Amino acid sequence: MTESAALTQLNERFRGYYPVVIDVETGGFNAKTDALLEIAAITLKMDSNGWLVPDQTFHFNVEPFEGANLEPAALAFTGIDPHSALRGAVSEREALDHIFKGIRKGLKANKCQRAIMVAHNAAFDHGFVMAAAERAELKRNPFHPFATFDTASLAGLALGQTVLAKACKAAGMKFDGKEAHSALYDTQKTTELFCLIVNRWKKLGGWPLGPVETDQAETNQA
């Protein structure tokens, strides 16, 4: 493989990590006690020119686990009725098993070593996915146990905004506030935002990584 061809490979861009965008809707803020109610995941790939683009989408409404806490304020915020049969909800195990299998296929296809979660305020989503995977006793969790790519931090650096809606608008993206707090919609917008930031860095000449210029002050001190 030539050097230029290697730079269009996903495994070359993030040190062997396979980025997967995640968003969850929940019955509260405590990943150990509160219900996971909805999850969406979008895998990413590089096109032939090395631009980051969405790949596969996974989306599930999730049944509250036995004994799960459901905070009324959280349900009012998301508008989710966890007991509605119209949701077509599945168990945590079924939802995560399906998503994890899709991620593992992507890992193999892209020759990556491990998945890394991309999310907006990623510690929240990461905590709920890890807690649900533990409850479901899923042994082959593809995600790194603690590392994430947080688009709130990236957007703060690249766009001067940390709220998802404001960051999207600053980037020139459309954002429908009425669709927000749906796991699928928020995952789609987070994916668009992450790809935009990564691709803009490439467009500005930040990738492929060039020689690091020595700071003039450091040179003078030497």
Side-chain angles (χ1 to χ4, degrees):
M1 181 183 295
T2 65
E3 183 177 355
S4 59
L7 294 174
T8 67
Q9 303 300 307
L10 189 61
N11 62 349
E12 296 289 336
R13 181 60 182 86
F14 301 109
R15 200 173 66 84
Y17 283 131
Y18 181 62
V20 181
V21 187
I22 293 279
D23 188 77
V24 300
E25 299 299 333
T26 68
F29 294 103
N30 190 322
K32 296 293 185 181
T33 60
D34 299 343
L36 172 65
L37 298 175
E38 185 184 4
I39 182 169
I42 297 179
T43 60
L44 304 175
K45 64 181 180 180
M46 290 285 197
D47 69 13
S48 59
N49 294 311
W51 301 106
L52 192 64
V53 297
D55 192 10
Q56 290 189 295
T57 299
F58 305 90
H59 175 233
F60 294 94
N61 290 315
V62 183
E63 299 168 347
F65 65 90
E66 186 175 354
N69 182 53
L70 294 164
E71 292 289 341
L75 300 183
F77 181 72
T78 61
I80 295 174
D81 177 0
H83 305 298
S84 173
L86 298 177
R87 297 179 67 229
V90 300
S91 68
E92 290 181 330
R93 182 179 182 85
E94 183 176 344
L96 291 184
D97 186 53
H98 190 87
I99 292 170
F100 287 0
K101 284 180 179 176
I103 292 172
R104 287 196 293 269
K105 288 181 181 178
L107 278 167
K108 184 176 181 181
N110 288 278
K111 299 179 181 178
C112 291
Q113 298 166 5
R114 190 149 206 174
I116 188 165
M117 189 178 297
V118 181
H120 205 77
N121 297 312
F124 180 85
D125 304 85
H126 187 270
F128 269 89
V129 170
M130 290 301 183
E134 184 177 351
R135 283 191 296 267
E137 299 182 343
L138 292 171
K139 304 301 182 184
R140 298 180 64 198
N141 186 336
F143 283 113
H144 193 285
F146 55 84
T148 61
F149 289 158
D150 188 350
T151 52
S153 299
L154 292 171
L157 171 66
L159 301 164
Q161 297 288 347
T162 58
V163 175
L164 180 59
K166 291 183 178 180
C168 289
K169 290 177 181 178
M173 296 164 45
K174 293 181 179 179
F175 191 93
D176 187 345
K178 295 180 181 179
E179 294 289 338
H181 310 303
S182 153
L184 180 58
Y185 184 78
D186 284 359
T187 303
Q188 291 169 338
K189 302 315 290 186
T190 302
T191 299
E192 189 178 350
L193 181 65
F194 181 67
C195 289
L196 181 146
I197 292 171
V198 172
N199 291 335
R200 179 174 292 179
W201 180 246
K202 172 181 167 66
K203 188 175 183 180
L204 290 171
W207 183 264
L209 190 65
V212 178
E213 295 182 5
T214 304
D215 186 270
Q216 188 62 44
E218 293 179 355
T219 302
N220 294 337
Q221 289 175 3

